[in-house]
Amino acid sequence: MAAHYQVVGSTSAAISASVESGIRTGDLAAGDALPAVRALAADLGVSPATVAKAYRELRQRGLVTTAGRHGTRVRPRPPVAARRAALLPPPLTGGRDLSAGQPDPRLLPPLGPHLAALAAEIGPPGGYATDAVLPDLAALARDRLAADRVPAAELTVTGGALDGIERLLAAHLRPGDAVAVEDPGWANLLDLIAALGLRTVGVPVDDDGPTVGGVRAALAAGVRALVVTSRAQNPTGAAVTADRADALRTLLAGRADLLLIEDDHAAELARVPVHPLAGATPAWAFVRSVSKPYGPDLRLAVLAGDEATVARVAGRARVGAGWVSTVLQRLVVSLWRDPATAGLVRRAADSYDRRRDGLVAALAARGVAAHGRTGINVWVPVPDETVAVTALRDAGWSLAPGGLYRIAAAPAVRVSVSALDETDVPALADALTAARKGPFLTHSV
């Protein structure tokens, strides 16, 4: 724990509030260790049970994580409004930042012409008594999903993929329930599950998606939900193949106790077919976001599923946010109907494929096996993440450490190719190859 921060409090609520305050102000940084239960109890003059209860509350809220002998530490991305400078690595002056995981802004479709057209035809202002899903959006979404063999008779919209997943988990699960997630997997999802008071069970993922053995083990462990990324998996670029989908559908068939969630966040940017699991279980949902292909500021995702699941999500939205802005829905309809925009999205997908495949091939030529079948990320195994990230920063490259995405998977770094020019691929491959060796091997050669 940071030497200058002292946890205070005489009750479990006060102790947990003190820790949260330290995280929020940045006095407790991501990865900082908290005192051992008995040591803190002695310092504060309270019982160990009081401190243990405080730590349990912090774990349930996703602020800290406990790792056996390694003690209790602040999570890498705790769900509180903290000073970003305390959570993010220092900026890299004069280097290339390949850590963000966002689409290339140079390849996003321009929104201005579509917004101008909407301004001219949008009609009178709407009121609160509005449909949750515009009929035009629903019709286009159903056509797009049907082309990928996703049943979409029941459909709603949410404020992005993560918003949809949060609503699904909240509607079906209760604090303490276990959720099977890909390992390595999406950092935001891991944080969300912790913030909801749920438990994660890691499922190993290879280039073809979640492994059958891993899913089988998670089911045996009693998970109540399974989240699968259809393609462009973050961070590995995995995509569920036809054979893997068949095997998983057989394994999941009829599991009435399981909520199956499929996340197709990349949508049109992933130039491989979707092999959906939709309908393998009675309770299921398929979530497709528009943010990656059309722009991160477009907070909208289409959510299809079984009747009860969609009704739960839509019903909960009605007593909360109400609906996703119809102005935003009209904008998405305009983008979907525009052939020029579709061409821009295809061009972006081709560009990402060239950069990603080029980096994977360049690393393979240097004897380094990396993963990146689809999407905008490449996952590069390394012996030591800290050594590799530090060496790469010294060489002018900022990458994301794999610890943000891992539960029990082996160390690695994530490269986001959206900020990588094709001409830079050889230099980055050289730097990654050197960084994997690290200073600890320089004298053994």
Side-chain angles (χ1 to χ4, degrees):
M1 184 178 70
H4 60 279
Y5 189 79
Q6 177 61 52
V7 177
V8 298
S10 58
T11 66
S12 62
I15 294 169
S16 63
S18 175
V19 173
E20 179 177 346
S21 176
I23 296 171
R24 190 169 56 250
T25 60
D27 292 324
L28 285 174
D32 276 352
L34 300 184
V37 169
R38 292 189 178 278
L40 183 57
D43 289 344
L44 299 179
V46 300
S47 71
T50 298
V51 176
K53 183 179 180 182
Y55 281 10
R56 183 167 61 251
E57 293 169 351
L58 291 164
R59 284 197 303 272
Q60 290 175 344
R61 294 191 51 227
L63 298 175
V64 302
T65 182
T66 300
R69 292 179 298 173
H70 297 291
T72 300
R73 294 181 177 272
V74 178
R75 282 181 58 84
R77 295 162 53 126
V80 295
R83 289 202 300 259
R84 297 301 296 167
L87 302 177
L88 298 174
L92 182 61
T93 303
R96 299 293 298 277
D97 186 353
L98 307 180
S99 64
Q102 300 183 27
D104 187 341
R106 298 171 297 182
L107 298 179
L108 292 174
L111 302 183
H114 297 274
L115 289 169
L118 287 177
E121 63 185 36
I122 200 167
Y128 289 109
T130 186
D131 289 334
V133 186
L134 293 180
D136 285 353
L137 181 81
L140 288 171
R142 288 191 173 99
D143 288 344
R144 287 166 169 260
L145 291 172
D148 290 322
R149 295 170 293 117
V150 178
E154 304 297 331
L155 183 144
T156 189
V157 294
T158 62
L162 200 64
D163 178 57
I165 294 173
E166 177 178 5
R167 293 179 185 278
L168 288 162
L169 294 175
H172 280 266
L173 276 62
R174 297 294 178 265
D177 286 344
V179 181
V181 295
E182 295 153 339
D183 181 21
W186 188 17
N188 287 353
L189 177 60
L190 299 179
D191 293 338
L192 171 64
I193 291 171
L196 291 174
L198 305 171
R199 297 181 292 113
T200 55
V201 174
V203 174
V205 57
D206 59 22
D207 289 338
D208 296 340
T211 64
V212 176
V215 174
R216 182 180 293 111
L219 294 175
V223 298
R224 294 290 315 283
L226 167 66
V227 184
V228 175
T229 308
S230 303
R231 47 189 177 175
Q233 198 262 1
N234 185 359
T236 70
V240 177
T241 61
D243 288 344
R244 183 63 52 84
D246 288 343
L248 290 176
R249 289 181 67 88
T250 299
L251 178 63
L252 299 173
R255 291 293 302 243
D257 58 338
L258 182 77
L259 170 65
L260 171 63
I261 302 174
E262 292 180 88
D263 174 17
D264 189 34
H265 68 99
E268 298 95 330
L269 278 186
R271 303 297 295 277
V272 296
V274 178
H275 299 288
L277 308 176
T281 58
W284 64 274
F286 186 96
V287 184
R288 175 173 289 174
S289 171
V290 304
S291 297
K292 281 291 193 301
Y294 302 101
D297 201 34
L298 299 178
R299 312 308 299 162
L300 184 146
V302 174
L303 187 154
D306 67 278
E307 182 179 3
T309 294
V310 173
R312 287 186 186 185
V313 172
R316 180 63 182 86
R318 277 197 296 270
V319 298
W323 69 94
V324 173
S325 164
T326 57
V327 176
L328 177 56
Q329 293 188 51
R330 291 175 188 273
L331 176 57
V332 171
V333 167
S334 179
L335 290 165
W336 277 352
R337 284 176 170 168
D338 180 23
T341 296
L344 292 175
V345 172
R346 287 193 296 270
R347 187 187 72 172
D350 290 341
S351 178
Y352 292 136
D353 285 352
R354 289 194 301 272
R355 301 184 223 181
R356 186 194 64 249
D357 293 346
L359 179 58
V360 171
L363 288 169
R366 291 160 174 79
V368 178
H371 303 274
R373 283 188 57 203
T374 57
I376 65 174
N377 296 308
V378 173
W379 185 249
V380 186
V382 297
D384 187 296
E385 290 178 9
T386 301
V387 170
V389 169
T390 301
L392 285 158
R393 285 183 66 86
D394 290 343
W397 304 94
S398 179
L399 306 183
L404 290 172
Y405 314 95
R406 297 188 293 109
I407 299 173
V413 294
R414 191 194 73 171
V415 184
S416 294
V417 301
S418 50
L420 179 69
D421 292 331
E422 292 180 59
T423 55
D424 293 328
V425 166
L428 175 59
D430 287 340
L432 277 163
T433 303
R436 290 184 77 257
K437 297 177 180 178
F440 52 86
L441 293 180
T442 56
H443 299 296
S444 62
V445 177

